[in-house]
Amino acid sequence: MLAAPGVGPLYTRLRPQSLRTRLLLAASVVLTAFFVITGFALESAFGDSAQQAQRDKLEGIVYSLLSALGPSASGELTIATATVPDARLKSAASSLQAALFNEDGVAVWRSVNYVDLPTPQMPAVGEWNFQYLDEPDAFAMSFGLRWIDLADDPRRYTVMVIEDASSYRAQLQAYRRALWTWMLVCGLGLLGVQVLVLQWGLSPLRKLIAELRRIELGEQQDIRADYPDELRPLTQGLNAMIQNERNQQTRYRNALGDLAHSLKTPLAVVQGITEDHDMPPQLRSTLGEQVQSMQQITGYQLRKAAAAGRRTLAEPVLIRPLCEKLVNALVKVYADKNARFELLIDPRLRLRAESGDMFELIGNLLDNAAKYGNGLVRLSVHHEGRTALIEVADNGPGFPDDAEELLERGVRADMKKPGQGIGLAAVYDLVRAYEGQLLLGASDLGGARVTVRLPG
């Protein structure tokens, strides 16, 4: 018996089966990675540019303060507040501060809104020092200079300008919002374009699938549409496979018909000889048994070989009408047993199989159930996922304990054993031809139950 399919690894179950889904997923990952990397790069570049603009602005303010430098009455270098070019340095509520430090780190001049801060690091003469201050969240620009007074006494000074970073952060936040909004809009737009491109690019595959479905339904015999160069070898191969399979089935059936016709006459002649009363009774009996056995074996093997099995692109068979014909015939055959049949089959249900094979398979199961049951037979056919499930149950004595072993031993043992095994052997061969599974068990009606699982 064939084992039921196992459960695959987790990654196999999670892997998308649709080609369109795979392409969309891959495109989404690539687009997302591209936009995220591009967004961070642009954000970083804008931040560097904004900081450079902040540095240039503070340098300009320092230069304006240098232009306002002059000696005080005590000889110290100072800045006259009235001559400060930037009006913000004259306002107590301004976010811009400035101060002039001597070489001892003492502020000899400060703007009106300057707050006491730790003594800054004094840059060398002629050097600039731009830095960010955590407290009070501001940018600072310092410049070192040397002042030589009239007494030719050089002194070092440092000009420092501090501006609150809130405007810089607000500018950066506004840019970040605008950047990621447009990135999201562009990403969704490109993804939509990708969907349209995939729809257009995969349209030949959808057309091919539609043609294959029409072939399965018997609406056309082969693939006829024109396809791109990449798919043309596939369509030509499919047409060749379909035609070869049909020709092969025809050859098989013709050969089997010829074989049956060739054997019919010799067997009839031998059968006639057994009816010769001049022949000794014991010989006539022995010869008659052998001829009958030959006829049974030949008939069985011909039916077995004629089973079409799973056929590529076969037209699905409407099951309920086929089962109703079988039931109508069996009701007459087993009228003496008052046989009753229950059919649990959706009228729209179709199975992908040959109608002759289904007639043989279901017919044997119903015949066995009616023959060895006690008058009640129930047939159920339905789908469980991608598996077709056929169940026949009766209210008879059920199967013997060695029923499973009997099937596994092969057809010859089934043919020689009287009882249900004869019909089940033919059913088992058909099930194997369809790569299915046959299970024997007990039914809830009190008798035997045969379950057949077929792919599709």
Side-chain angles (χ1 to χ4, degrees):
M1 294 175 60
L2 300 176
V7 179
L10 179 60
Y11 76 89
T12 301
R13 287 181 286 152
L14 296 180
R15 186 175 55 194
Q17 300 301 317
S18 167
L19 183 61
R20 180 172 175 270
T21 302
R22 290 187 178 194
L23 292 175
L24 280 177
L25 184 60
S28 301
V29 171
V30 172
L31 285 176
T32 301
F34 171 77
F35 280 110
V36 168
I37 294 173
T38 303
F40 279 114
L42 290 175
E43 185 177 328
S44 176
F46 180 80
D48 294 341
S49 176
Q51 282 197 19
Q52 184 61 43
Q54 188 74 21
R55 179 188 180 113
D56 294 342
K57 181 174 66 172
L58 294 181
E59 278 187 6
I61 296 174
V62 169
Y63 279 123
S64 68
L65 290 176
L66 291 177
S67 66
L69 287 174
S72 64
S74 61
E76 284 279 0
L77 192 63
T78 187
I79 299 175
T81 304
T83 61
V84 171
D86 198 314
R88 292 178 295 171
L89 296 175
K90 304 175 185 179
S91 172
S94 173
S95 61
L96 181 65
Q97 309 172 49
L100 178 65
F101 297 92
N102 61 19
E103 56 188 352
D104 297 326
V106 178
V108 296
W109 174 87
R110 64 180 64 190
S111 61
V112 296
N113 61 339
Y114 186 82
V115 297
D116 290 329
L117 295 171
T119 303
Q121 181 180 0
M122 302 298 180
V125 175
E127 292 186 359
W128 298 88
N129 182 24
F130 178 74
Q131 60 183 329
Y132 169 74
L133 304 176
D134 291 331
E135 187 63 36
D137 185 27
F139 290 105
M141 174 64 78
S142 304
F143 178 73
L145 62 107
R146 179 182 289 113
W147 170 262
I148 302 176
D149 58 12
L150 296 178
D152 199 20
D153 182 17
R155 302 178 186 181
R156 283 192 56 191
Y157 292 91
T158 299
V159 178
M160 175 178 285
V161 176
I162 301 174
E163 185 175 25
D164 186 76
S166 58
S167 61
Y168 163 81
R169 296 196 180 283
Q171 182 184 16
L172 193 62
Q173 189 67 24
Y175 177 81
R176 184 180 291 116
R177 283 197 302 268
L179 171 67
W180 290 110
T181 298
W182 280 107
M183 282 290 181
L184 180 61
V185 171
C186 292
L188 293 176
L190 285 177
L191 189 59
V193 172
Q194 182 70 22
V195 171
L196 296 178
V197 170
L198 285 177
Q199 289 287 106
W200 174 74
L202 295 177
S203 59
L205 288 177
R206 289 196 300 273
K207 184 168 66 173
L208 177 59
I209 292 172
E211 280 209 87
L212 292 175
R213 286 177 179 168
R214 287 195 294 271
I215 293 174
E216 290 178 349
L217 296 175
E219 297 176 1
Q220 65 184 62
Q221 296 299 314
D222 52 15
I223 299 172
R224 301 168 183 170
D226 189 25
Y227 290 94
D229 294 340
E230 293 80 4
L231 292 180
R232 194 168 292 122
L234 174 63
T235 57
Q236 292 173 350
L238 285 173
N239 278 335
M241 181 183 66
I242 294 169
Q243 188 59 45
N244 288 337
E245 187 175 22
R246 287 173 180 160
N247 293 339
Q248 188 179 37
Q249 290 291 335
T250 301
R251 288 195 301 269
Y252 283 165
R253 287 172 179 170
N254 291 340
L256 289 173
D258 294 341
L259 177 60
H261 183 75
S262 300
L263 291 174
K264 182 177 180 181
T265 301
L267 287 175
V269 171
V270 176
Q271 182 70 33
I273 294 175
T274 63
E275 297 176 357
D276 185 1
H277 295 286
D278 295 334
M279 184 179 295
Q282 184 177 359
L283 179 60
R284 186 170 62 243
S285 175
T286 302
L287 187 59
E289 290 177 359
Q290 295 304 316
V291 170
Q292 186 178 5
S293 178
M294 289 172 61
Q295 289 175 336
Q296 290 178 350
I297 293 173
T298 303
Y300 171 74
Q301 294 297 340
L302 288 174
R303 288 196 305 271
K304 176 183 173 183
R310 241 180 129 184
R311 190 163 66 88
T312 307
L313 302 177
E315 179 183 356
V317 178
L318 198 60
I319 289 297
R320 188 173 180 96
L322 182 147
C323 295
E324 289 175 346
K325 290 180 181 178
L326 287 170
V327 167
N328 292 335
L330 290 173
V331 165
K332 298 175 183 178
V333 173
Y334 295 101
D336 57 330
K337 299 185 65 172
N338 193 24
R340 292 171 291 126
F341 294 86
E342 294 180 1
L343 297 183
L344 305 179
I345 307 172
D346 188 332
R348 299 167 297 178
L349 179 66
R350 293 177 179 269
L351 297 185
R352 197 172 305 284
E354 285 286 337
S355 58
D357 292 345
M358 290 298 98
F359 197 88
E360 179 81 10
L361 188 151
I362 298 175
N364 272 318
L365 293 179
L366 291 177
D367 182 60
N368 274 340
K371 183 185 300 181
Y372 300 103
N374 291 328
L376 178 59
V377 178
R378 184 175 63 203
L379 170 62
S380 171
V381 185
H382 60 278
H383 276 109
E384 284 188 357
R386 297 184 178 181
T387 301
L389 197 65
I390 303 173
E391 290 185 349
V392 176
D394 62 57
N395 60 345
F399 289 112
D401 295 337
D402 62 346
E404 295 282 351
E405 297 178 1
L406 189 62
L407 283 177
E408 292 177 0
R409 283 202 299 269
V411 174
R412 289 184 180 273
D414 293 332
M415 290 177 58
K416 291 180 179 180
K417 180 178 178 64
Q420 283 184 308
I422 298 175
L424 287 177
V427 171
Y428 187 48
D429 289 329
L430 278 171
V431 170
R432 287 193 300 178
Y434 277 84
E435 301 178 0
Q437 187 179 19
L438 176 66
L439 301 174
L440 307 180
S443 74
D444 55 359
L445 300 179
R449 182 188 63 192
V450 180
T451 302
V452 175
R453 295 177 178 270
L454 300 178

